[in-house]
Amino acid sequence: MNDCKRSGAAIPAMAGAVALAALLAAGCTQETQNTISRGIQNWTGTDGVLEIYAGDKLVRRFLRIDKISTAHGTQDGVPRPYRFGYGVFDANLNGEVDPGEKKVYFEFSDYSTSYVFYENPR
């Protein structure tokens, strides 16, 4: 099934890629629009922060995350119940990348992990 409707609207040559993307996205489902948005973010980069909580206590923080992905099975393509990504492990939870803090791979459960993911406001 095609998620986007074909548009017959003419776009002037000078309109640029942004206008074209906006026009195409207008006829897409929300899921397809989110996929396009993530693709743009992957290209331009983001500065995400992932905070992991145990109850109301912050126990882990990862900085400078480009994206968080949902795992999919290699053979069946079915989404797995966890997410993963790469970020700098903030060992002292001060919200800054300090000397010695390195980029690491992380995974967390969709079902049992209390977390907040947001763009770094700094």
Side-chain angles (χ1 to χ4, degrees):
M1 178 189 279
N2 191 357
D3 286 341
C4 297
K5 298 175 187 172
R6 297 187 190 266
S7 174
I11 300 174
M14 300 301 288
V18 174
L20 178 61
L23 182 61
L24 292 174
C28 298
T29 65
Q30 184 66 44
E31 183 176 351
T32 301
Q33 289 177 23
N34 289 342
T35 301
I36 292 168
S37 176
R38 282 191 303 274
I40 292 169
Q41 285 180 345
N42 290 344
W43 181 64
T44 61
T46 58
D47 186 11
V49 177
L50 173 67
E51 295 179 340
I52 307 289
Y53 291 87
D56 62 350
K57 181 179 179 178
L58 176 64
V59 294
R60 294 281 186 272
R61 181 183 285 138
F62 299 92
L63 306 169
R64 295 187 182 165
I65 299 170
D66 290 331
K67 68 177 180 175
I68 294 178
S69 299
T70 301
H72 287 79
T74 306
Q75 298 297 320
D76 60 11
V78 175
R80 300 297 191 235
Y82 67 94
R83 295 181 184 266
F84 67 93
Y86 292 89
V88 177
F89 177 59
D90 186 12
N92 59 6
L93 301 174
N94 69 351
E96 298 177 8
V97 177
D98 297 315
E101 293 180 339
K102 298 182 182 192
K103 192 170 192 172
V104 297
Y105 172 83
F106 58 83
E107 294 178 0
F108 59 97
S109 170
D110 280 351
Y111 302 124
S112 62
T113 306
S114 296
Y115 68 92
V116 177
F117 179 68
Y118 58 94
E119 185 176 0
N120 193 341
R122 298 184 206 182

